């Protein structure tokens, strides 16, 4: 088992560390992705463990290293005359990581619970507080552990072995969590999914154990869990599949004419004798909660399962599938997929999860009026963790398009501003939840895909647009391939722990070169 450790120390301390590594017969690692020295260490005090150790003497080099390299544990050693106190140094690292996560996205989040510190032991040299007090204060900011003035290298090795193996439970369960984003969110998820299918061999994302989806993510996850071909779905979006019927705008937008007329007539009968001052109130009550009934979407989902030789049933799946919706009256989050909420068809649960008010009529299941699940949760990430998944792929299309130009959003009108505001609210909630869960579950690996600036710009308008389907899928596909290439070393190490193999850089670059030919058939 390989564990990746980055050791941050002062220049005066680095010579001692290099000398200690030489005594341990560390084998130098040639690594252009890190500005620090690297060694592979195998030692009797590290049974069944191969330690890949990188030494950094510049604290500003930590975030670039984290960007390009897998890190299971970060050690900060304050010893040495020129070493910063641990509290000061770790606060800088935390601040830098947080700042770069805002720039590079939540896939870069590195939890402080994967950080440990070696204290000097001399209270006067670094701080006026005793070591016990300092250790307690570091623990309050989620630092995993503290070692005070270890006397020998063997003490450090024993300590590291305990840290790296104490929570290691053999578990290779993989989960996938997808949030919503309307029609464009679904198109984005198709592009990401297809790129992952092409670039991961051996155990693929279709072999994941748990699938969790909300809103458009419920549809994307259900197709994956049901073993329905992603490329056939993409072909169907363009009317070119030999297996699945064409997916058209009428598949989603089937006007709920009867429901609209019934509501208008019902409310109009109550206007007799009403004070004119209440007419506005009655008019608002006459507005339907949904203009589309979603029956065509239900039928199409059933068709996709049947055309692929599957059943529209939770119980027929060999994988765990969970779909989230919202109770329209209590605003309680409702999850379908486990008993007894796995009795209805998957297509009915998907529609309930996608039923955004004003667009779609609520779904009535067991007497409850259910609407879009993303109103109450982003992607049910907590549920996937509770199902004991240690690697989780997250696909989150709900990212707003930010701009530094004052008034740019205002110029595009209130509808555009409202959409961006909703996306910002959902995205902020998602980032907060992910940051919290990353700290709480440091041994869980997350791989996050969100639209980059180019894709976010393409998806900045109405989430229910249909005409730009090819561009969104293609851009999402290309962005995912590029992300896998740029963070190849990080993802390769994460996936190997779960019997998944990321293709080599050369193979991924070759796939990138094939992009235009691959999608030209849909032009």
């Amino acid at each position: 088992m390989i564990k990746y450790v980055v050791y941050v120390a002062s220049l005066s301390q680095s010579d001692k560390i290099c000398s200690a590594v030489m005594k341990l017969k560390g084998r130098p690692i040639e690594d252009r992705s890190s500005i620090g020295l690297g060694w592979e260490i195998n030692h009797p005090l590290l049974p069944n463990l191969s330690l890949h150790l990188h030494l950094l003497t510049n604290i500003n080099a930590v975030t670039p290293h984290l960007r390009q390299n897998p890190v299971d544990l970060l050690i900060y050693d304050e010893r040495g005359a020129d070493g910063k106190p641990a509290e000061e140094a770790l606060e800088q690292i935390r601040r830098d990581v947080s700042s770069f996560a805002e720039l590079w996205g939540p896939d870069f989040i590195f939890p402080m619970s994967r950080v440990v510190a070696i204290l000097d032991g001399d209270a006067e040299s670094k701080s006026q507080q005793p070591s016990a007090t300092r250790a307690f204060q570091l623990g309050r900011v989620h630092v995993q552990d503290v070692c005070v003035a270890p006397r020998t290298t063997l003490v450090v090795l024993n300590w590291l072995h305990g840290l790296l193996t104490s929570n290691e439970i053999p578990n290779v369960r993989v989960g996938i969590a997808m949030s919503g984003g309307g029609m464009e969110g679904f198109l984005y998820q198709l592009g990401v999914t297809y790129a992952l299918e092409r670039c991961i061999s051996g155990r693929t994302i279709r072999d994941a154990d748990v699938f969790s989806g909300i809103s458009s993510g419920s549809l994307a996850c259900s197709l994956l869990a049901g073993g329905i071909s992603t490329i056939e779905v993409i072909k169907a979006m363009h009317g070119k599949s030999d297996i699945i019927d064409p997916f058209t705008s009428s598949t989603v937008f089937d006007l709920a004419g009867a429901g609209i007329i019934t509501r208008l007539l019902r409310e109009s009968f109550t206007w007799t004798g009403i004070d004119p001052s209440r007419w506005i109130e009655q008019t608002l009550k006459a507005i339907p909660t949904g203009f589309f009934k979603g029956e065509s979407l239900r039928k199409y989902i059933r068709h996709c399962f049947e055309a692929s030789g599957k059943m529209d049933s939770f119980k027929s799946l060999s994988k765990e599938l969970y779909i989230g919706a919202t109770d329209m009256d209590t605003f309680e989050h409702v999850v379908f997929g486990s008993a007894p909420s796995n009795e209805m068809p998957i297509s009915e649960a998907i529609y309930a999860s996608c039923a955004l008010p004003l667009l779609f009529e609520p779904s009535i299941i067991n007497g409850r009026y259910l609407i879009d699940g993303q109103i109450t949760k982003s992607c049910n990430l907590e549920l996937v963790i509770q199902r004991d998944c240690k690697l989780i792929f997250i696909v989150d299309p709900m990212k707003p398009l930010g701009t530094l130009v004052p008034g740019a959003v205002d110029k595009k009108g209130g509808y555009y501003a409202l959409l961006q505001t909703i996306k910002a609210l959902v995205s902020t909630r998602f980032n907060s939840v992910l940051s919290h869960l990353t700290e709480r579950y440091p041994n869980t690996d997350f791989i996050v895909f969100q639209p980059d600036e180019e894709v976010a710009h393409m998806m900045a308008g109405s989430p229910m647009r249909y005409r730009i389907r090819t561009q969104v899928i293609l851009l999402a596909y290309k962005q995912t391939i590029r992300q896998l290439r740029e963070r190849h070393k990080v993802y390769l190490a994460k996936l190997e722990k779960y019997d998944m193999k990321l293709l080599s850089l050369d193979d991924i670059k070759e796939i990138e070169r094939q992009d235009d030919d691959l999608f030209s058939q849909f032009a």
Side-chain angles (χ1 to χ4, degrees):
M1 178 171 55
I2 300 175
K3 288 293 184 178
Y4 300 89
V5 175
V6 57
Y7 199 119
V8 185
S10 64
L11 279 171
S12 61
Q13 185 69 10
S14 63
D15 289 340
K16 296 180 181 179
I17 296 169
C18 291
S19 176
V21 171
M22 292 301 102
K23 291 180 181 178
L24 295 173
K25 298 181 180 180
R27 184 174 63 84
I29 297 175
E30 295 293 333
D31 190 351
R32 295 182 180 180
S33 63
S34 175
I35 64 173
L37 298 174
W39 301 272
E40 179 181 348
I41 301 174
N42 296 281
H43 193 274
L45 288 178
L46 302 171
N48 303 316
L49 198 63
S50 179
L51 202 66
H52 284 210
L53 178 71
H54 279 87
L55 174 63
L56 301 179
T57 57
N58 184 350
I59 198 168
N60 294 319
V62 170
T63 44
H65 183 89
L66 292 174
R67 173 71 171 167
Q68 297 294 333
N69 296 274
V71 176
D72 295 303
L73 190 69
L74 186 152
I75 305 170
Y76 178 75
D77 189 343
E78 72 171 13
R79 294 175 299 175
D82 53 341
K84 286 186 178 181
E87 297 91 335
E88 179 183 338
L90 295 182
E91 172 57 25
Q92 180 180 337
I93 291 173
R94 186 202 64 77
R95 190 169 55 247
D96 289 349
V97 168
S98 178
S99 297
F100 280 99
E102 293 181 6
L103 176 65
W104 291 330
D107 189 61
F108 180 69
I109 294 175
F110 185 80
M112 292 300 290
S113 48
R114 284 192 182 185
V115 176
V116 297
I118 297 179
L119 302 185
D120 198 318
D122 184 352
E124 296 300 322
S125 65
K126 301 296 178 185
S127 171
Q128 298 301 316
Q129 296 178 324
S131 298
T133 301
R134 299 179 64 203
F136 174 76
Q137 291 175 343
L138 289 170
R140 293 183 63 183
V141 294
H142 306 296
V143 171
Q144 183 180 351
D145 201 7
V146 169
C147 183
V148 180
R151 294 183 178 180
T152 65
T153 303
L154 298 184
V155 171
V156 175
L157 287 181
N158 271 316
W159 177 55
L160 288 180
H161 184 264
L163 291 171
L164 294 170
T165 61
S166 61
N167 295 319
E168 282 296 324
I169 301 174
N171 184 358
V172 291
R173 281 173 64 84
V174 175
I176 296 176
M178 295 190 182
S179 62
M183 175 63 71
E184 290 184 342
F186 177 60
L187 301 177
Y188 177 81
Q189 288 153 349
L190 286 178
V192 173
T193 299
Y194 189 54
L196 292 176
E197 287 180 343
R198 295 200 73 198
C199 292
I200 299 176
S201 63
R203 184 186 186 188
T204 69
I205 59 170
R206 290 187 174 276
D207 299 315
D209 303 280
V210 178
F211 297 82
S212 173
I214 289 178
S215 195
S216 66
S218 67
L219 176 55
C221 266
S222 296
L223 297 177
L224 270 179
I228 297 170
S229 169
T230 300
I231 189 60
E232 287 301 325
V233 176
I234 294 175
K235 289 179 180 179
M237 302 294 291
H238 303 82
K240 295 186 177 182
S241 172
D242 296 327
I243 300 174
I244 302 174
D245 288 347
F247 189 103
T248 65
S249 57
S250 61
T251 304
V252 179
F253 305 120
D254 52 347
L255 191 64
I260 294 172
I261 293 172
T262 300
R263 189 179 187 93
L264 288 172
L265 292 174
R266 183 178 69 242
E267 296 302 329
S268 66
F269 284 136
T270 66
W271 286 30
T272 305
I274 288 182
D275 187 330
S277 64
R278 296 180 56 195
W279 286 357
I280 294 179
E281 178 184 346
Q282 289 301 120
T283 300
L284 292 176
K285 287 177 64 177
I287 297 176
T289 53
F291 285 92
F292 304 103
K293 58 185 177 180
E295 185 55 40
S296 294
L297 179 60
R298 293 179 177 92
K299 289 181 179 178
Y300 189 81
I301 295 169
R302 289 195 291 270
H303 159 72
C304 287
F305 279 97
E306 292 168 359
S308 302
K310 313 294 181 182
M311 295 179 63
D312 181 18
S313 166
F314 284 99
K315 294 182 178 180
S316 68
L317 299 177
S318 60
K319 310 291 184 180
E320 296 182 42
L321 172 64
Y322 301 98
I323 295 174
T326 299
D327 188 303
M328 190 178 191
D329 299 297
T330 65
F331 289 95
E332 172 192 356
H333 192 74
V334 180
V335 178
F336 299 105
S338 57
S341 62
N342 60 350
E343 299 294 335
M344 82 289 295
I346 295 174
S347 57
E348 189 65 43
I350 291 174
Y351 175 72
S353 185
C354 295
L356 183 65
L358 289 184
L359 277 178
F360 297 102
E361 292 182 332
S363 175
I364 305 175
I365 299 178
N366 297 328
R368 303 179 76 175
Y369 285 66
L370 301 174
I371 55 177
D372 197 311
Q374 198 154 41
I375 293 172
T376 44
K377 289 205 176 183
S378 296
C379 59
N380 264 336
L381 188 55
E382 303 95 323
L383 173 63
V384 183
I385 294 174
Q386 290 168 3
R387 297 306 302 156
D388 212 19
C389 293
K390 295 300 181 184
L391 172 65
I392 303 176
F393 293 90
I394 303 172
V395 186
D396 174 44
M398 286 292 282
K399 182 181 178 182
L401 177 63
T403 175
L404 297 177
V405 180
V409 173
D410 181 72
K411 290 179 181 178
K412 295 187 178 181
Y415 178 66
Y416 180 89
L418 177 62
L419 289 174
Q420 292 301 301
T421 299
I422 293 173
K423 285 186 177 183
L425 289 171
V426 174
S427 181
T428 300
R429 180 181 63 190
F430 167 76
N431 291 339
S432 177
V433 169
L434 179 60
S435 179
H436 168 72
L437 294 176
T438 302
E439 288 288 358
R440 186 176 177 184
Y441 300 96
N443 294 312
T444 300
D445 291 308
F446 300 95
I447 298 179
V448 186
F449 297 95
Q450 284 185 323
D452 61 12
E453 185 174 352
E454 182 182 12
V455 183
H457 186 272
M458 177 70 71
M459 298 171 61
S462 169
M464 301 310 295
R465 283 185 299 182
Y466 189 77
R467 294 181 180 176
I468 60 172
R469 56 184 180 266
T470 301
Q471 295 95 317
V472 173
I473 296 173
L474 175 60
L475 287 178
Y477 173 85
K478 286 186 172 182
Q479 178 208 332
T480 305
I481 297 289
R482 186 167 58 251
Q483 184 173 329
L484 293 174
R485 173 174 53 77
E486 290 175 350
R487 301 201 70 197
H488 186 270
K489 191 175 178 181
V490 175
Y491 295 148
L492 181 66
K494 286 186 178 183
L495 295 175
E496 282 182 343
K497 294 190 289 185
Y498 305 93
D499 300 326
M500 305 179 82
K501 183 174 178 57
L502 184 62
L503 297 184
S504 68
L505 271 174
D506 289 339
D507 288 340
I508 291 178
K509 290 176 182 178
E510 179 59 32
I511 287 177
E512 278 191 295
R513 285 191 285 269
Q514 299 170 2
D515 284 344
D516 293 334
D517 292 337
L518 177 67
F519 284 88
S520 62
Q521 59 181 306
F522 304 133

